[in-house]
Amino acid sequence: MLGDGECEEGSVWEAALFANHFHLENLVAIVDHNHMQSLDNCENTLKLEDFVAKWRSFNWEVREINGNDHDDLRATLKDTSTAHHPMVVIANTTKGKGVSFMENDIKNIPIETKDNNTYMISDTTNNLITILDIPALGKIPG
């Protein structure tokens, strides 16, 4: 599991070369491709596009999916037996999907609490913390 911001690091591409060189056909990497990283949009830090072409140039099989669709993700992970190279699943996601004040907002950082019953949202710009009651919501948003 990788973040697209993490893919700006040379160690990711060194590992990608290694996996192809040693024919690791049973290796599947998932990239959370939401175009965001810690403090800015990936495109403002270091452009990775064309992301699909980059992975293919390392001789990886590439599958692009809607990463917010859990059924799509499950189906893709079940169907990896046809891969003849390492496989990368580029999961195109929306950060904070399902929580209106969080969607595509780089300032909000989710933090799960120790009791797993609440979910804190930290707004790093305004130094605010919002507490969501998970039992009341029925599940963790997103």
Side-chain angles (χ1 to χ4, degrees), residues 83-139:
H84 300 292
H85 301 280
M87 180 189 297
V88 61
V89 177
I90 298 177
N92 295 300
T93 61
T94 301
K95 182 178 178 180
K97 180 76 173 167
V99 181
S100 61
F101 67 89
M102 285 185 63
E103 282 195 16
N104 284 319
D105 189 347
I106 204 156
K107 303 176 308 233
N108 290 303
I109 302 169
I111 305 164
E112 189 172 352
T113 61
K114 288 181 183 178
D115 63 7
N116 295 323
N117 289 323
T118 57
Y119 205 60
M120 295 188 318
I121 310 300
S122 173
D123 179 337
T124 58
T125 301
N126 299 314
N127 295 319
L128 300 173
I129 294 180
T130 303
I131 306 294
L132 300 177
D133 183 356
I134 299 308
L137 292 174
K139 63 179 182 172

Side-chain angles (χ1 to χ4, degrees), residues 3-137:
D4 48 4
E6 184 178 1
C7 290
E8 294 176 352
E9 298 176 12
S11 58
V12 170
W13 302 108
E14 183 178 350
L17 284 169
F18 179 94
N20 179 59
H21 179 80
F22 287 101
H23 309 286
L24 302 182
E25 297 174 2
N26 63 341
L27 179 63
V28 178
I30 302 171
V31 178
D32 178 8
H33 193 36
N34 63 15
H35 301 272
M36 295 183 185
Q37 56 181 302
S38 299
L39 302 172
D40 203 352
N41 293 318
C42 294
E43 288 76 13
N44 294 336
T45 306
L46 186 63
K47 293 182 182 180
L48 291 170
E49 306 302 338
D50 179 335
F51 206 44
V52 170
K54 187 176 297 301
W55 281 99
R56 285 192 178 130
S57 74
F58 281 75
N59 209 22
W60 281 56
E61 182 173 327
V62 178
R63 298 201 186 159
E64 270 192 288
I65 65 165
N66 174 353
N68 292 115
D69 181 342
H70 297 172
D71 292 332
D72 196 6
L73 180 59
R74 274 190 286 279
T76 301
L77 292 176
K78 284 182 183 177
D79 183 32
T80 59
S81 61
T82 59
H84 300 292
H85 301 280
M87 180 189 297
V88 61
V89 177
I90 298 177
N92 295 300
T93 61
T94 301
K95 182 178 178 180
K97 180 76 173 167
V99 181
S100 61
F101 67 89
M102 285 185 63
E103 282 195 16
N104 284 319
D105 189 347
I106 204 156
K107 303 176 308 233
N108 290 303
I109 302 169
I111 305 164
E112 189 172 352
T113 61
K114 288 181 183 178
D115 63 7
N116 295 323
N117 289 323
T118 57
Y119 205 60
M120 295 188 318
I121 310 300
S122 173
D123 179 337
T124 58
T125 301
N126 299 314
N127 295 319
L128 300 173
I129 294 180
T130 303
I131 306 294
L132 300 177
D133 183 356
I134 299 308
L137 292 174

